[in-house]
Amino acid sequence: MSDRPSRPALPDNPRECVSEAPAYNHPGGAVTPYRLAAEVLSDATGAIHIANEAGSVSAEAVHTTLMTLLHSNFAAVATTQAWTDAVTAAAPLDKNNLVASALLGAQRAG
C-alpha cells in the first residue's frame, strides 16, 4: 500500500489529458487508461526562416507546413477564436487524419 493520495477523477471535459495507452507507473502495478489530445493555436505560434546546406524555407512556409502536418494526425489546429468558442461550448476541436489529408493533398495537387 502506498502513502500517496489517490488521484481524483478527471473532469468530464473534452480537454482532459488522457492517453490511449495504459499507464503502469501506479502503485501496485494498477493500469489506468489516459487519453491525450493536443491542440495548437495557429495564430499564437510562430516560425523562423530556415536555411542550411539542404536549402532554405521561408518562415511562412515552415509555419504552414507544420500546422498542416500537426493537423493531419497529431493535433487539432485552430485559431484562438475557434479554440475559445470550442472551450465555451465544451466541444472538442476537429482534427484530420493522415489518410484523409493525403487524399485531399493528392486531389489538390492535380
Side-chain angles (χ1 to χ4, degrees), residues 36-65:
L36 175 64
E39 297 170 336
V40 176
L41 302 179
S42 61
D43 56 354
T45 59
I48 59 172
H49 300 292
I50 296 176
N52 57 37
E53 293 78 11
S56 63
V57 183
S58 71
E60 181 180 3
V62 170
H63 179 77
T64 301
T65 301

Side-chain angles (χ1 to χ4, degrees), residues 20-34:
E20 295 293 340
Y24 295 96
N25 59 345
H26 296 284
V31 177
T32 306
Y34 291 101

